[in-house]
Amino acid sequence: MTVIAAVAVLVGVLALATVLGVVLRARTGRARSGRTDTHLTADLAPADAFGPAATLVQFSTPTCARCPATRRQLDAVADTTPGVTRIEIDLADRPELARRFDVMQTPTVLLLDADRTVRTRFGGPPRPAELSAALDTVLTPGTEESR
C-alpha cells in the first residue's frame, strides 16, 4: 500500500467516525415515544415503588459514568413533581431487562404513565426540556398522548 492510499484510508476512517459520533451525540438524550404493554413493566419493581401519576425508570450499570448525574437530575424532577417517582435498575443484576427493553446504552430512562405503560424513552441522560415536555403530556389530563 502506498503512503497516499494509507492516508486516504485513514482520512476515510476518521470521517466515518466523526459522522457516526455526531449522529450518536445528536440522538443522545432525545425523547422517543414508545408504547409498551403494561405487562412488560409490571415486574420492574414492587407495586408501591411506582408513582401514582408517573414513574421514571433509570437503567444503569456500575461502570456508567453518566448515571450518577442522571440519578440526581431525575431525583430532582421526582422531588419537585407531585405523583412522580424514580426507580433505578442495575442491569448488572437484571441483564434480561436489557434485552426486553432494548437497552443499548446506560443510562436509558423510561417514562411510565400511571398505568405503567412506557410513554417516552431517553437513550442517555434526558435533555431537561424534553423530559419536562414528556412529563407534561403524561401529567396533563386530556392531552392526546395521555389517553
Side-chain angles (χ1 to χ4, degrees), residues 46-65:
D48 61 350
F50 292 91
T55 304
L56 297 164
V57 178
Q58 177 182 346
F59 293 109
S60 302
T61 57
T63 58
C64 173

Side-chain angles (χ1 to χ4, degrees), residues 10-101:
L10 179 63
V11 168
V13 169
L14 288 175
L16 180 61
T18 300
V19 169
L20 287 174
V22 168
V23 169
L24 289 175
R25 183 169 178 95
R27 292 186 64 194
T28 298
R30 297 272 185 189
R32 293 186 317 199
S33 65
R35 301 243 178 203
T36 304
D37 293 335
T38 305
H39 72 279
L40 291 176
T41 61
D43 65 341
L44 290 179
D48 61 350
F50 292 91
T55 304
L56 297 164
V57 178
Q58 177 182 346
F59 293 109
S60 302
T61 57
T63 58
C64 173
R66 299 181 298 174
C67 290
T70 301
R71 179 182 310 116
R72 289 188 298 273
Q73 174 192 10
L74 297 180
D75 279 341
V77 169
D79 290 345
T80 59
T81 310
V84 176
T85 61
R86 182 189 68 84
I87 298 171
E88 186 167 1
I89 298 173
D90 186 345
L91 291 176
D93 295 334
R94 300 188 64 192
E96 76 281 0
L97 295 179
R99 281 186 297 281
R100 185 190 315 171
F101 291 99

Side-chain angles (χ1 to χ4, degrees), residues 99-120:
R99 281 186 297 281
R100 185 190 315 171
F101 291 99
D102 296 322
V103 176
M104 302 304 281
Q105 65 175 323
T106 56
T108 291
V109 177
L110 304 178
L111 172 59
L112 280 55
D113 63 15
D115 296 325
R116 299 184 197 156
T117 300
V118 177
R119 299 294 299 277
T120 307

